[in-house]
Amino acid sequence: MQDLIKKAGQVKLLVMDVDGILSNGQIIYDVNGIETKAFSVQDGVGVKSLARYGILTAIITGRSSAMVDKRAAEMGVNYVVQGRDDKLIALNELLSTIDPALCITAADCAYMGDDLPDIKAMQTVGFAATVPNAHAEVINRSDMVTTRAGGTGAVREICDLILKGHGHYQDFIAHYTLGEAKTQDDLS
């Protein structure tokens, strides 16, 4: 586990797939053909926690959906790339748009994916994570498999690990506990 925490401590950008990672992978259509997905509130808290400490987040997904834009905005995701089948090309294009002063390379990224289209991107980054119900080939190429499935808090597990790696986890938790919260003055 210490090796994973150390590796997570190098992450400057968390990149997430949607179907099977931020959602449970099911695509539900109503009688009018309107698509819906379910997202985890815990994942949202985790993604927001990364922003608090200057760690960027991105979504790269093969499908396009207005609800992904809405959920990304609610969570404060920095970059959203939709409708891209080749996740590696999308990742490289995304990295090329990030301010060069931030010095973010693929080695500085964590990538969470669950199916074959995610593998090349996962092989390129410094930290690859997946969920227990991912395709076996994805699991075989991942640094970490979460205990929770996609859409049920799996992203939160990775966010917590990244915070631990950066030494921010206890401070983050202190914001939610009585008598332990640190003010900005305490952090200086």
Side-chain angles (χ1 to χ4, degrees):
M1 182 59 128
Q2 288 303 320
D3 289 342
L4 286 177
I5 292 172
K6 183 178 179 181
K7 195 174 255 203
Q10 304 302 310
V11 173
K12 296 179 183 178
L13 171 67
L14 171 61
V15 181
M16 301 160 283
D17 181 24
V18 174
D19 296 316
I21 297 296
L22 282 167
S23 77
N24 65 7
Q26 294 180 331
I27 300 167
I28 302 166
Y29 295 100
D30 71 10
V31 69
N32 297 314
I34 308 250
E35 178 183 326
T36 188
K37 300 176 192 290
F39 298 101
S40 168
V41 171
Q42 289 184 355
D43 288 344
V45 172
V47 169
K48 288 179 181 180
S49 74
L50 296 182
R52 177 179 290 194
Y53 297 100
I55 299 161
L56 301 174
T57 53
I59 287 173
I60 297 177
T61 180
R63 297 176 56 81
S64 293
S65 168
M67 72 187 69
V68 169
D69 284 329
K70 180 174 176 41
R71 183 62 179 145
E74 289 173 349
M75 294 188 299
V77 173
N78 301 97
Y79 309 97
V80 178
V81 180
Q82 296 196 64
R84 298 299 300 273
D85 291 329
D86 193 317
K87 307 280 184 84
L88 178 57
I89 290 174
L91 175 63
N92 288 330
E93 288 173 357
L94 170 65
L95 290 172
S96 73
T97 68
I98 296 175
D99 182 353
L102 297 175
C103 299
I104 297 177
T105 67
D108 302 313
C109 297
Y111 188 104
M112 286 191 76
D114 70 313
D115 210 345
L116 300 178
D118 298 305
I119 291 177
K120 288 179 185 176
M122 293 174 75
Q123 290 177 309
T124 304
V125 298
F127 184 77
T130 195
V131 292
N133 57 320
H135 191 282
E137 296 299 330
V138 175
I139 290 172
N140 291 339
R141 290 166 175 84
S142 295
D143 296 305
M144 180 179 173
V145 178
T146 61
T147 60
R148 294 184 177 198
T152 65
V155 171
R156 177 63 174 277
E157 286 184 44
I158 299 304
C159 292
D160 286 351
L161 187 70
I162 291 169
L163 291 178
K164 288 175 184 176
H166 282 267
H168 298 306
Y169 183 75
Q170 291 306 320
D171 177 66
F172 174 65
I173 296 301
H175 288 279
Y176 297 96
T177 55
L178 292 175
E180 300 175 43
K182 296 179 182 176
T183 65
Q184 192 62 29
D185 291 336
D186 295 335
L187 299 174
S188 314

